[in-house]
Each structure stands twice: as C-alpha cells, then as structure tokens.
Amino acid sequence: MKDEFKPRIIGFLCNWCSYAGADLAGTSRLQYPPSLLPIRVMCSSRVDPLFVISAFLRGADAVLIAGCHPGDCHYQEGNYYARRRFACVRKVFETLGMESDRLRLSWISASEGPRFANVITEYTEKIKKMGPNPAKKNIFL
Amino acid sequence: MKVAKIKVKDNIEKTVLSFLRETIDKKLFDAILIPMMVPAGDSYAWVLAQDKSLLDGAYYLPPIMSVQGAKALSSVTKGGKVNKRVAAIMRPCEIRAAIELSKLNQIELENIFLISMDCPGALPLKDWLKDPKRGVDVFKKVIQHFVDEEPKPDKSVRPACAICHRFSDSDAVDLHIGILGTEGEDILFIPHSTQAEAIFAELGLSLNENLSRWQKGVDEVLKQRKKKRAQVQEELKSTVVGFDKLLDTFSNCINCHICQSVCPICYCRQCYFDSDKVKHPPDDYLMRAESKGNISLLPDKILFHLGRMSHMALSCVGCGACEDACPMSIKVAQIFSLIADRSQGLFNYIAGKSIEEPLPMRVYEDDEFHEVESP
Amino acid sequence: MSSVLKLSRSAEEGLRELLKFLLEKKRVKAVFTLCKIKKNGTVSYSLITDADMLKDALPLFPLMPQNAGKLLSRLTLKEHLAEPIAAVVRPCELRAFIELVKREQGSLENFIFISTTCPGTYPLEMSVNGDISKKLPEYEEDVKKGNVISDTRPICKACEHFMPYSADMTVALIGEKDIDKNCEIFLNTEKAEKLIEGMDGELVERELETEEVKNLRSKRQEEKRKLFEEINVEGLGLSGLVETFGRCIGCHGCSRVCPICYCVLCDFDSRDYENEPSTYESELKKRGGVRVPPNTVLYHLGRLTHVSVSCVGCGMCTDVCPADIPLSTIFLKVGEEVQKIFNYIPGKDVEEAIPLNKFEKDEFTEVED
Ligand code: SF4
Ligand code: SF4
Ligand code: SF4
Ligand code: SF4
Ligand code: SF4
Ligand code: FES
C-alpha cells in the first residue's frame, strides 16, 4: 500500500493575532491535522514574497500567511500592504500556470482558536486533494 | 607513471559514466558533481548527484560550458567542507579555476576528489543555442578529430579553446582521464594521488605503463595549439594594445558586467565596479563631458575592464566563460589571456597549476623587481 | 490639437538641429542622446556639451544599447541636475526612468525629455556585425507606412506603449509620409514652447494620434497576442518554468540591465540565497540530486514578483541573455496581468504611487480565505 499523502504546510503567522490564535487552539485542545509548520513573524507584512516562493520551491505543499483582521494590525496598516503583496504574488503564480491555490492568506485573530483549527483542517483537506507539490522531487530548480 | 587502460564500450562518454557508477556502487564516493542535460534538452547544468540513477542524464564532457565548473564547486564548498566524499569531474580550465579559488578561500577541497580529462574544447554557446541537436553531432566530430592518431584542430570550438595549451594539465587533480591518441578505443585513467591509486585497487583496475600513444597525441595537440595561440596573440596585439585601440575594442561594451559575473575568478559578492564608489554626482559626468565635448556613457567602462584585469589577471585561467557570455561578442577572454600570460609570466606563475604555489600577490622577496623602481 | 514645430529637413536632421539650437543658445547645458562610436555603425548613449560634436549624434538610431532610464538614474542618483539637460529617449526608457524616480533613484528636475512615436529597435546582436546600418532604408519605409517592422525585437513588435506619456517634445515618426523631408516636433509642455523660441521653422497645429498610429496599435496588439501564444506563458506551470529557465547560466545579466532592478546588491547575489553545505546535504536527502549553483527558478520567480508591477517591457533582459531565454515576453505578460489588478501603467505618471506602496482598506477581499 502506498503511504498516505500527508501535506506539509508552511505557515507564516503574525505574532499578535494568528500565532496567538494557534496557541489558543492548542490550549483549548482543539483537534486539527498536524500538517502545519508554523513560523512566527512580527506582522503579516514582514513576509517577503520570496519567503513564500522559497518555501514552495523547497517542497512545501502549501504556504499560508495569516495575520490580524483588516483594521486590527498592531502596526496599523501592515496587513493591508501584505494583502497587496499577496495579490501580486498570487497573480504571478496564476499567470504562469502554477497552482496558486497552494498559497493562502487568512485573517485569524488571537481569540479565534476554533477558526484557526478550521482553517488548518479545511486547507489540509484541500491540499490533500491537490496532491504533493511537484517541486518536491525536481532536481533542476 | 602507471596508468589503467579501459576498453571503450559503446562510446567514451558511456564508459566514463559506468566507471563513475561503479565508484558509487562500491561506496567510494557519496556524490558526484557533474554536468547533466536539462529537461528541455537544450543545455547542461551542474548537478550534485547522489542517486546513481541520475547519472543516466550526465555528461562528463558536455559540448558547452554553460557554467564554469569552479563556480559550481565553490557554491557547494564555500560555506565550509562538505561532509560527504564528492567526486567533481571538470574540464582542465575549470580545475585550474577551482585551485585558484581554493587559494582565495572560496573553495574547500577537503573531501573533494578532482577528476579532469583531455579537453577538446567546448562549442560557443551562441552557436549551440541555434540548434542544440546539431551541436551534439558537431561536438562528436570535435572529439573524433581530437582523439585521432593524427589529431586535427576543429574550427567549431570557442576561440578561447582553440588557443588553449593547458588542455591536458593535470598536476592538481586526483585522476586524469586520457583520451588523446587512442582513436576512441581506450580510455586511460591516470592517477595523480594515493587516493586515486587506492580507488583503482578497490575497483580491481590493473595498471600498465604504456603511455606512449597518448603522449604522442598530447604533444601533437600541444604543438598545434601553441602555434595557434602565438598567431592569435600576435594579431590581437596589433588590434588591442595601446590605450586608443583598447578604447575602441571596448567601445561596444554595454556595461552589463556579465563577463565579470560569469568569471570564476571574479568571486566578489559585490564588485567594486558596481559599488557606490563608481556612482558620482551629475557635475562629475558633466565635467568629464565638457573636457572632451562628448563622453560615451558610462565613462567608467574602460576603468571597469582595466580594473578587472588588474584584480584578476594573475589568476585568469583563460577559460573563455566571459567571452562566451558577452552579449556584444567582445573578445574579452582572448584579451584577458594575453594580459594573463604576460603578468603571470612576470612571476613565473601558472594560475591553477599547483595548489602549493602561493598567489604571487601574497608573497614577496626582498630583492626583486628593481626594474620597476625609478632611481 | 497640439502645437507643432515643423522643420523642412529629415526627422533626424531636424532633431539634430533642435539639439544644436538648444546647446548653442545655452538653453541646455548638455544633450543626452545616441551617438556614433565606430565605423561599423554602432551607437552608445553619450553626453554632449559641444554643439559641434552633435554631427555624430544619431538620436533616432534603432538600437537600445542600454536602457536610457537606467543611465539617467545613474546621472541623477546622487543629486538632481543643477542645469538643464535635453535627453532624447524612447517611450519605454522614459517610463523606466519615471519608475526609478518613484523609487528615489533619480530626479526629473531640469530634464527636458524629447521622445518619439517609437517604431521599435533591432536586437543588440544585430549591432555586433553592423547589420543595422544596412537595414536603415527598409526601416524608414516601414516607419512611413506605419508597419510592424520585420526583424525588430519581438518585444517592440508587441509594444503598445509606443506613444510617450510625459515627454516635453515628441518627434512624430510613425506613419509620417515624409520624415525624409519634414521634421515635426510636438511641443507638449509650456517648457517646450519656451525652449524653441527663436528657432527657425513653422508653427502649426495638428493631432499626433493619426489613423496610422491607431492602426499600428491594433497590429501590435495582434503581434502581442501571437507572441504570448507562442511562448504559452499561462500554460507553463512548474515544469514549463523548469524547461524555459533550465538553460539559464545564472549570470544575472537580466537583472543588471533591467532598469527596474535598481538594488545595489540583488537579493539573489546575497548570502541569503547561497546554500550552506548542510543545506546541500538536506536537499540531497530529499531529492537525490541538486542543481548547482542552486535557485535558478527561484531567481526568476523572485525577480518576477519584484519587477512585475513596474516592468515597462523594454526588452533589455532578453537582449543580453546569453542563454537566449525569452525573458521579456514572460516578464511583459506577467507584468501586464499584475499591473491590471492594480490598474497601473508603469511610468505613465510620476504622481501615481507604486501600487505596492499604497493600499485601500476595502480591496482584494477575493484573495483572502
Ligand atoms: S560582458 Fe561584454 S558588454 Fe558586458 S560588460 Fe563585459 S565586455 Fe561589456
Ligand atoms: S577572465 Fe575570462 S578567461 Fe579569464 S578566468 Fe575569467 S572568465 Fe575565464
Ligand atoms: S541573463 Fe539569461 S542566463 Fe543570465 S541570469 Fe538572466 S536568464 Fe539567466
Ligand atoms: S524585466 Fe526586462 S523588459 Fe521588464 S523592465 Fe526589466 S529589462 Fe525591461
Ligand atoms: S531581482 Fe529583486 S532584489 Fe534583485 S535587483 Fe531585481 S528587484 Fe532587486
Ligand atoms: S501585526 Fe498582525 S498583521 Fe500586522
């Protein structure tokens, strides 16, 4: 029998909201798949598009950027800029015929433990259906 | 000198690869750094291959030099020694550049086993890209002409290769692969280190001593190349030596600095000639324009080339990478080799020949070069 | 209707005369334009202060040896111009310069921009053996007819932005039947009108946007569609990217000549994108083999995300690429799609902020999940 495909998702979580949301999901003992490798960043706007592309080419099955809801960013406007940059990188992927669904932007606040668990569960399922990232085995990248 | 002779099966390429496969099978190496055909089939890229099966797409001697091999080895070992035993198989000028880079602390040779070969040259990238399939055939002919009992120079190789006289230099390698003078029937594995000899023993390769056919081939090609080199350099002197002629030669230059970025010796992360030091306020450019009525931009074009020469000519290995990549087809490598010959000659130094010889600018003698001092 | 200075000589001579007038009357300190450098007919951008030297100027020569925007940025990186310079540049070069000015890499102050309705330029490699000079008669005929000119760069054949957006003066070329006899210089700004005061020639009124211009625009749009189809950018996918960029030799020449890539030290030449021996080991474990030097596709994807909002489709990257990769086609396509979502035309208006440096509170909700 073939090993079941277990997606690996790299998550860039903003310290003030989404990382705290993840914490809350944990302390509340909510169940969600162990597919996320979280990386804490101070704000969603700290995520350089290159981080996302790098993670993808290194073989992450998906990349999630999560931050405070619009209006709640602890640096006032960071997430608005992050959203524009994300729109740009997604457009680049789409225009090149790459699977842009492997990139995701979600707003998750510190109090939204259940939402965090939902996002991870739902996204993991979606990626499972998409299958492994083809970049994983390519040696010519 | 003792050498192992192997009968060629199918062709030289395949025979060398099956030797490399065996070294992996026998766990003599953990990985091999070797050019591999890229998926589109239109070029070759360096791959550090651990999986033996990858070697099916490998070419120990590809028709082109897409990336100078020393740059690849530097990428692998710049951060320190690798914990694997790696065999790196490269053309002689790539080996020489690697030796220079190791002296410049950009390559760590520990755990690296260097293999080179008699090199017939490489095809110009521009010609190759027009029709890679045809290029493969052209290169087959180049090899045939090269290994013939009476080797003939082949016009399809790069200008830098046509005048290369160190196509079989092998002092610094562990193992040299001799194909000259063999008519493509045999391959000679010539060991240059005790490690190489140990590997031969592991693989059960017997050593015999007959090098005469090979030596004859080497001598003949050497004669041809030296002659060509002298001739080309003589012609070059009349067109580029002298400041005005030099300006003329580089007047086409568009300042892209690709020659510098592909040169294995130019290892600086940030070239001085891209730094803030060469960026000036507008008045500076205007003043220069006013002094002649007209300046071509950017005015530090020639400074870049002369500066680069003075930085690296002592280590230039004449590999031709700069010229091959220059979008304006400027004879960069031919010019640089000419200067390199002269400047290395001053110090009796041959770039990349031996790892023991220190870089000329790192040593001095109390009593020398009085001729450059003014009384 | 705009006011136009009409000179009864060829477009190139007329332009040269204008430049001479500006220098002699000391209305400008210097002229920035293409200039002959060799007998075989190649040109280089030059800074000319002596009016007599203008005899070597070839302001309309169909070659772009460097993107002028990058050079103007170099001239004004440290300080703005203290005295006026007239710069003859192509529309994409002017747009590139404006993008650089928005990034504080140069200053518009004291520049007088003279541009043309741009028929396109030949590939750099054609300048190497002097082929362009032979082409000039044919080129002129096609310019007069308003044709897409054969053997010019694919990116020029597909360029829609061939009318300059913010030039002070525009020399009409496309579809102008007698550019060998008449030179018509559109005066787009008050500054321009002032500068030519006292110059011989007739002042007339006319439109720049002629039928020929409109026709060429639609022909070029068709060329662009074909070009994109040929490369099939949207069908590339990861494997297509690996195939397309597989032959890249990693020289980074494309970023060095790109006007938008202004970084002193490109990210991809920095320590961050070099592999440590341990990274190589972990990659080997994962894949069994790894390309060296690494990050070829990353470089191109990264550069695409960095420059796509501002790529002006000048084609320099393709022109210098030793591996013959159709970079500018891919960059133009991705650039257009990205620019579309921000409703942005790079280099059109210096007042308009770069899209990634601003935001609206209520937008792009479709990219959030
Ligand atoms: S590669 Fe050629 S054009 Fe570019 S800087 Fe070097 S000599 Fe000049
Ligand atoms: S200057 Fe040119 S020929 Fe000399 S080492 Fe560098 S790339 Fe090779
Ligand atoms: S110019 Fe061409 S070969 Fe050089 S880095 Fe860019 S794509 Fe690669
Ligand atoms: S990416 Fe290429 S076409 Fe676009 S601005 Fe840069 S050099 Fe010009
Ligand atoms: S690729 Fe990005 S980091 Fe590199 S020079 Fe261009 S904009 Fe700068
Ligand atoms: S601090 Fe959370 S997105 Fe800016």
Side-chain angles (χ1 to χ4, degrees), chain B residues 263-265 308 312 316-322 333 336:
Chain B
C263 172
I265 307 303
R308 194 168 90 83
M312 52 67 65
C316 168
V317 295
C319 65
C322 46
F336 273 64

Side-chain angles (χ1 to χ4, degrees), chain C residues 183-289:
Chain C
C183 174
E184 303 200 3
I185 304 167
F186 282 70
L187 307 169
N188 309 326
T189 56
E190 258 172 55
K191 193 159 65 169
E193 287 176 11
K194 264 231 170 71
L195 278 165
I196 58 115
E197 265 171 27
M199 209 180 150
D200 289 340
E202 193 189 341
L203 277 178
V204 296
E205 295 269 308
R206 61 164 280 205
E207 289 288 352
L208 185 58
E209 178 103 10
T210 56
E211 271 316 300
E212 283 85 353
V213 163
K214 285 186 193 127
N215 282 341
L216 183 63
R217 191 171 291 123
S218 55
K219 283 187 231 165
R220 295 238 185 138
Q221 279 163 347
E222 178 54 20
E223 288 290 331
K224 184 160 72 180
R225 200 190 49 73
K226 278 196 276 183
L227 186 64
F228 288 162
E229 208 172 83
E230 203 181 295
I231 311 283
N232 186 16
V233 180
E234 282 162 305
L236 284 175
L238 186 71
S239 61
L241 289 182
V242 173
E243 294 212 345
T244 309
F245 295 122
R247 59 179 190 268
C248 168
I249 64 168
C251 68
H252 295 187
C254 44
S255 87
R256 281 167 190 247
V257 299
C258 173
I260 307 305
C261 279
Y262 66 88
C263 308
V264 178
L265 180 62
C266 173
D267 261 358
F268 303 101
D269 290 324
S270 75
R271 192 83 199 253
D272 290 359
Y273 291 91
E274 257 165 26
N275 282 359
E276 291 294 318
S278 59
T279 317
Y280 273 118
E281 280 169 36
S282 68
E283 289 289 301
L284 279 183
K285 217 170 176 177
K286 262 196 297 209
R287 301 171 206 254

Side-chain angles (χ1 to χ4, degrees), chain C residues 68-296:
Chain C
K70 207 167 176 103
L71 288 172
L72 297 182
S73 145
R74 179 64 81 86
L75 280 183
T76 56
L77 180 67
K78 297 276 166 183
E79 286 163 20
H80 60 73
L81 297 177
E83 287 165 282
I85 288 184
V88 187
V89 295
R90 293 175 188 280
C92 62
E93 296 175 304
L94 182 50
R95 290 204 291 137
F97 185 47
I98 290 195
E99 285 301 297
L100 283 165
V101 168
K102 290 186 192 181
R103 288 168 169 74
E104 294 173 28
Q105 300 301 306
S107 149
L108 294 176
E109 204 169 323
N110 275 323
F111 270 116
I112 294 110
F113 293 110
I114 304 173
S115 192
T116 67
T117 54
C118 179
T121 68
Y122 289 111
L124 262 186
E125 57 172 342
M126 272 177 63
S127 75
V128 173
N129 31 31
D131 281 351
I132 298 183
S133 307
K134 286 180 232 146
K135 286 255 169 201
L136 290 177
E138 186 190 320
Y139 183 87
E140 191 176 294
E141 277 318 299
D142 277 331
V143 175
K144 286 182 186 172
K145 289 187 195 131
N147 287 344
V148 171
I149 304 174
S150 60
D151 297 331
T152 49
R153 303 179 306 159
I155 199 82
C156 291
K157 290 187 192 168
C159 167
E160 279 183 61
H161 300 279
F162 55 83
M163 309 281 278
Y165 291 112
S166 41
D168 296 290
M169 305 184 205
T170 306
V171 181
L173 294 179
I174 287 168
E176 302 293 327
K177 298 282 173 290
D178 30 62
I179 39 171
D180 48 343
K181 299 189 228 38
N182 274 330
C183 174
E184 303 200 3
I185 304 167
F186 282 70
L187 307 169
N188 309 326
T189 56
E190 258 172 55
K191 193 159 65 169
E193 287 176 11
K194 264 231 170 71
L195 278 165
I196 58 115
E197 265 171 27
M199 209 180 150
D200 289 340
E202 193 189 341
L203 277 178
V204 296
E205 295 269 308
R206 61 164 280 205
E207 289 288 352
L208 185 58
E209 178 103 10
T210 56
E211 271 316 300
E212 283 85 353
V213 163
K214 285 186 193 127
N215 282 341
L216 183 63
R217 191 171 291 123
S218 55
K219 283 187 231 165
R220 295 238 185 138
Q221 279 163 347
E222 178 54 20
E223 288 290 331
K224 184 160 72 180
R225 200 190 49 73
K226 278 196 276 183
L227 186 64
F228 288 162
E229 208 172 83
E230 203 181 295
I231 311 283
N232 186 16
V233 180
E234 282 162 305
L236 284 175
L238 186 71
S239 61
L241 289 182
V242 173
E243 294 212 345
T244 309
F245 295 122
R247 59 179 190 268
C248 168
I249 64 168
C251 68
H252 295 187
C254 44
S255 87
R256 281 167 190 247
V257 299
C258 173
I260 307 305
C261 279
Y262 66 88
C263 308
V264 178
L265 180 62
C266 173
D267 261 358
F268 303 101
D269 290 324
S270 75
R271 192 83 199 253
D272 290 359
Y273 291 91
E274 257 165 26
N275 282 359
E276 291 294 318
S278 59
T279 317
Y280 273 118
E281 280 169 36
S282 68
E283 289 289 301
L284 279 183
K285 217 170 176 177
K286 262 196 297 209
R287 301 171 206 254
V290 51
R291 182 180 180 143
V292 186
N295 297 331
T296 303

Side-chain angles (χ1 to χ4, degrees), chain B residues 229-295:
Chain B
R229 190 176 185 89
Q231 182 201 334
V232 166
Q233 295 199 335
E234 203 47 53
E235 280 167 26
L236 207 59
K237 260 191 269 173
S238 62
T239 53
V240 304
V241 173
F243 190 69
D244 284 336
K245 287 184 190 158
L246 204 62
L247 270 180
D248 217 33
T249 308
F250 285 112
S251 63
N252 265 1
C253 168
I254 57 163
N255 261 310
C256 65
H257 295 190
I258 289 180
C259 47
Q260 171 262 322
S261 74
V262 298
C263 172
I265 307 303
C266 281
Y267 65 85
C268 305
R269 188 185 302 287
Q270 169 134 62
C271 176
Y272 173 85
F273 302 101
D274 289 321
S275 74
D276 205 50
K277 295 278 192 309
V278 301
K279 297 174 184 159
H280 311 291
D283 278 353
D284 205 278
Y285 297 101
L286 277 166
M287 248 156 55
R288 286 201 238 179
E290 279 185 305
S291 74
K292 292 196 212 135
N294 177 2
I295 46 158

Side-chain angles (χ1 to χ4, degrees), chain A residues 50 57-58 77 80 83-84 86 89 95-98 104-107 115 135-139 141, chain C residues 234 237 267-268 273 283 286-287 289 291 296-298 302 305 337 355 358-361 363 368-369:
Chain A
L50 288 182
L57 291 176
R58 283 283 182 86
E77 342 184 288
Y80 292 121
R83 185 168 60 189
R84 280 211 157 202
F86 183 78
V89 88
T95 312
L96 295 169
M98 308 239 291
R104 174 172 174 149
L105 173 71
S106 291
W107 308 130
R115 172 162 159 78
K136 224 179 274 238
K137 289 284 170 205
N138 202 312
I139 60 167
L141 295 174
Chain C
E234 282 162 305
D267 261 358
F268 303 101
Y273 291 91
E283 289 289 301
K286 262 196 297 209
R287 301 171 206 254
R291 182 180 180 143
T296 303
V297 174
L298 176 79
T305 59
E337 295 300 326
K358 62 171 194 191
F359 63 86
E360 315 258 322
K361 292 204 164 146
E363 60 170 7
E368 316 165 342
D369 276 299

